[in-house]
Amino acid sequence: MKYEKSKAFAHTLDSNDRLAKYRDEFLYPKNNRKNEIIYLAGNSLGLQPKKVIKHIKKELSVWSERGVMGQEERWIKFHERFAEQTANLVGALPTEVVIMNALTVNIHLLLISFYQPSKTKNKIIIEKDAFPSDHYAVQSQIKLHGFDTKNTLIELLPRAGEKILRHEDIITSINEHKDELALIYLGGVNYYTGQSFDLEKITKAGKEVGAMVGFNLAHSIGNVLLDLHKWDVDFSAWCTYKYLCAGPGSPSGVFIHKRHHKWKGPRLQGWWGHNKESRFEMPSVFNAIDTSEGWQISNAPILGMAPLIAAMDIYNKAGMSSIREKGENMSFYMEYLIFHFIPSIKIITPNKRGCQLSLLVPNGKKVFKFILDNGVVCDWREPDIIRIAPHPLYNTYVEIFEFVKVLKKAVES
Ligand SMILES: *Cc1c(COP(=O)(O)O)cnc(C)c1O
């Protein structure tokens, strides 16, 4: 699309936006002077859908009116209601996904199964700039197997003087380590740079050298298009509180490819992963459900999951392809405005990206504080990056225009 610099153009984009109506489905935060702010932190915590309260109240009333009877009547199957919509979001069969636990917990559960190092094939490829929790999880898994992280972790770094990992370098590293490689574990969209990786190609390269391939999709889910089943990914996990707007600490989702569903390898077992027919006969011998549900351990946190109903309904109505289209458009429009109005700012996010820009700003921390004081909520990452993540379901093009004006003022002051 060809963009223009005027505010009138931003208004035109908004009036042509088919997703504009969804903004009204969310509660928009205010600042402490009760003025509306510009919320551009959708990659940290998505806003609250208005219908969340209704869904929480519903579960509270079932609890108060039915007590434990609510379990059998409703809550035993509660997580199942998300299977179809979640599968649509990640390109999976409904049996390949399940909502459970929190993200890092799920990463551990998946690594317990899918990281099976041997004496010779035990290495893990990870981004040097991966989210810290990914590093911690992977390091502890390596130690659990009695290996040393120093010789086991292959950390991918951008080339000297570059900020972004080159795709060809990922593939080269996979091939270079092919005989020792047990696992490739990357973020789908890097949380820091906003770079979106070609998961299909990475998976293919990983399969060719006999490695397991798993992705952390915390910044991909609800943001970019995914087709995990077709791409043949082994496993993935994500949280639902960022783009998906299911509330602070809301549960995580996982994908496990169908070909693993009759899993005979190691896994951490719990009663919620046990065959549903005999679960309440309370047998002491574990008989796993032969879908991704077999990796569940505990019964679902119903009150924590209820907001996800509201969030997924909106996603389902709006449709992921429209959301992705607007997300791309918003980030490129923002890039255009920054380039024209504030050329001193360097954008490190490459074109293949989620709906996020990571800005390298001289005096970044001061600039960040200025824009925060002037009503824009975004996010600061040490040592020098401001992350801006508009959300296609509740942000407008005019807000992006206004944000760039504030940013310009901040840089010039
Ligand atoms: C947000 C995020 C997490 C958060 O983990 P929790 O277990 O939900 O606290 C983990 N990894 C990545 C890549 C993230 O972006």
Side-chain angles (χ1 to χ4, degrees), residues 103-104 131 134 216 218-219 241-242:
L103 174 52
T104 309
F131 196 80
D134 286 326
N216 183 327
H219 288 266
Y241 49 80
K242 290 171 180 165

Side-chain angles (χ1 to χ4, degrees), residues 222-260:
N223 183 16
V224 298
L225 299 177
L226 297 163
D227 212 351
L228 301 181
H229 178 86
K230 198 176 118 221
W231 295 342
D232 213 26
V233 173
D234 288 297
F235 68 90
S236 288
W238 55 90
C239 50
T240 58
Y241 49 80
K242 290 171 180 165
Y243 290 92
L244 287 192
C245 302
S250 59
S252 157
V254 306
F255 163 89
I256 298 162
H257 197 284
K258 187 167 188 264
R259 86 182 95 83
H260 297 307

Side-chain angles (χ1 to χ4, degrees), residues 26-86:
F26 292 88
L27 293 164
Y28 220 84
K30 301 220 175 358
N31 68 12
N32 39 24
R33 292 180 303 267
K34 298 262 195 268
N35 295 323
E36 278 210 350
I37 51 150
I38 298 179
Y39 193 83
L40 300 175
N43 59 343
S44 280
L45 182 68
L47 293 183
Q48 184 182 143
K50 286 180 181 164
K51 292 205 173 116
V52 159
I53 185 86
K54 179 185 104 177
H55 290 289
I56 292 180
K57 277 187 175 157
K58 166 79 187 171
E59 302 316 319
L60 287 174
S61 75
V62 174
W63 180 19
S64 66
E65 288 160 21
R66 304 294 296 155
V68 73
M69 290 174 287
Q71 178 80 309
E72 198 170 329
E73 292 162 1
R74 183 174 177 85
W75 296 323
I76 281 183
K77 297 196 294 281
F78 200 78
H79 61 281
E80 293 175 20
R81 67 191 303 154
F82 302 111
E84 186 114 10
Q85 291 177 338
T86 303

